[in-house]
Amino acid sequence: MGRMARTFRKMHGCGNDFILLPDGNAFAGEDDGFFAALCDRRRGIGADGILALFPPTRPDCAFRMQYRNADGAEASMCGNGARCAAFAAFDLGLAPRAMAFETGAGVHRADILSRNGNLARVRVAFPPPGAVEQVTLPLSGGTERTAFAVDTGVPHAVLFLGSPEAVRACEVVSLGREIRSAPAFAPAGTNVDFAALSGKNAFAARVYERGVEDETPACGTGAVAIAAAAAAAGLADATAPIDVAMPGGTLSVRLASATTLEGAACKVFEGTL
C-alpha cells in the first residue's frame, strides 16, 4: 500500500526559502535523507530548509516548530523560518495574530504585523544573544581574519569588511566554507556573516549558512548576530533599530529591552507529496 498524500507549502522570508509541512506528524519515521531529497533543487522541491509544525507541548504555545537544514539534519532555530512558520500557522488558523510557539531553542513570540494576500510582515522575538567574543582566525595562505562569535539560537561568526562594495565582492562561499569549519568553532561549525556599515545603524551583509553549505539570500539569526556584534564593536547604536540589507531583502533588528527580528514572509505555493 502506498503512502497517503501529504501537503506542503513553499514559503520564503526575504528569499530564504523553506518547505513547510503543516502536519509534522505525517512525516514521522522519515530519515534525514528524505528531507534532504525534498530540499534538492534539481530532483526535489528545492529549499534552504524544512519547517514542520507539531501540536505544542506547552499550554501557552500555539504550535511547536521543528527546523531542518537542507542537508536534512535538525537544527535548533532559524529566524526567517520562524517568521514563515508563524505566518503559516496564522493563515491555517492554528495561531492568533500574536502568538507564542516552541522551537529547539526555546519559546518564541511572534506578531503578524500586516498581511496582504500571500505576503505578510512578521516580527519574532528572540532571547537576548549570547556574549559576543572576538576571535582571531588563521586562514589558508598565512592570513588572519578577526571575527565576532555570537550565539543567536545557532552559532554565528561575524566578519566586518571595509565597505558595502567589499561585501558585494567577497568570495562568500569559499571563505565562508573555510571559516565554518575552523578549529575555533569545532566540532559543530558555525554560520558565517560578512557585513559592512552602509549608513546610520544600517549594514550590507551576505551569509554562508552551515547545513545549507552555501550562501543564502537572507538569514534571520545572522541578521541578529550582525546587529549584536555591531553593537558590541561600537559600530551600531543598540537602543535604535538596526537594519541589515541582504541580497533577498532587508531585515530589521531591535536589541533594546527585547530582541526582535522583523521582515517579510511569503507563501509561494501549496502542493501535495
Side-chain angles (χ1 to χ4, degrees):
M1 179 180 292
R3 292 189 176 102
M4 293 181 64
R6 296 173 289 181
T7 62
F8 71 91
R9 291 184 171 200
K10 182 67 182 290
M11 304 190 72
H12 78 83
C14 294
N16 197 189
D17 63 339
F18 307 97
I19 300 163
L20 183 131
L21 311 176
D23 180 9
N25 287 326
F27 293 82
E30 303 289 3
D31 61 15
D32 290 1
F34 170 83
F35 295 107
L38 291 185
C39 292
D40 190 298
R41 296 192 181 278
R42 294 187 181 274
R43 299 179 178 85
I45 300 166
D48 292 326
I50 300 275
L51 303 167
L53 305 186
F54 294 89
T57 63
R58 294 170 51 117
D60 58 339
C61 289
F63 63 93
R64 177 171 63 88
M65 181 191 93
Q66 181 190 75
Y67 175 66
R68 291 177 178 271
N69 281 313
D71 61 4
E74 187 174 349
S76 57
M77 180 55 180
C78 174
N80 285 328
R83 293 189 306 100
C84 287
F87 178 32
F90 173 71
D91 188 48
L92 290 163
L94 301 175
R97 186 176 288 272
M99 69 190 80
F101 60 97
E102 300 171 77
T103 74
V107 174
H108 291 260
R109 298 200 63 85
D111 294 280
I112 310 300
L113 301 176
S114 63
R115 187 209 178 141
N116 183 10
N118 289 333
L119 183 66
R121 188 161 186 86
V122 184
R123 181 174 60 216
V124 173
F126 280 69
V132 177
E133 180 183 356
Q134 189 168 320
V135 181
T136 300
L137 303 172
L139 301 177
S140 58
T143 61
E144 288 185 344
R145 293 270 187 160
T146 297
F148 294 86
V150 58
D151 194 303
T152 58
V154 289
H156 281 268
V158 181
L159 286 79
F160 289 109
L161 308 184
S163 66
E165 291 74 21
V167 173
R168 286 192 286 271
C170 181
E171 296 291 338
V172 168
V173 174
S174 58
L175 187 55
R177 188 167 291 154
E178 182 176 6
I179 294 171
R180 175 251 192 271
S181 300
F185 308 116
T190 187
N191 301 281
V192 188
D193 312 277
F194 302 89
L197 192 66
S198 60
K200 185 177 180 180
N201 260 33
F203 293 82
R206 294 167 65 191
V207 180
Y208 179 90
E209 284 203 51
R210 177 188 69 167
V212 180
E213 306 308 337
D214 203 349
E215 182 180 2
T216 56
C219 177
T221 56
V224 177
I226 290 165
L235 298 174
D237 177 5
T239 66
I242 299 171
D243 290 336
V244 182
M246 296 180 173
T250 298
L251 295 162
S252 184
V253 179
R254 288 181 180 269
L255 298 173
S257 67
T259 301
T260 62
L261 171 72
E262 182 181 322
C266 181
K267 180 176 80 170
V268 184
F269 64 84
E270 297 178 87
T272 304
L273 291 171

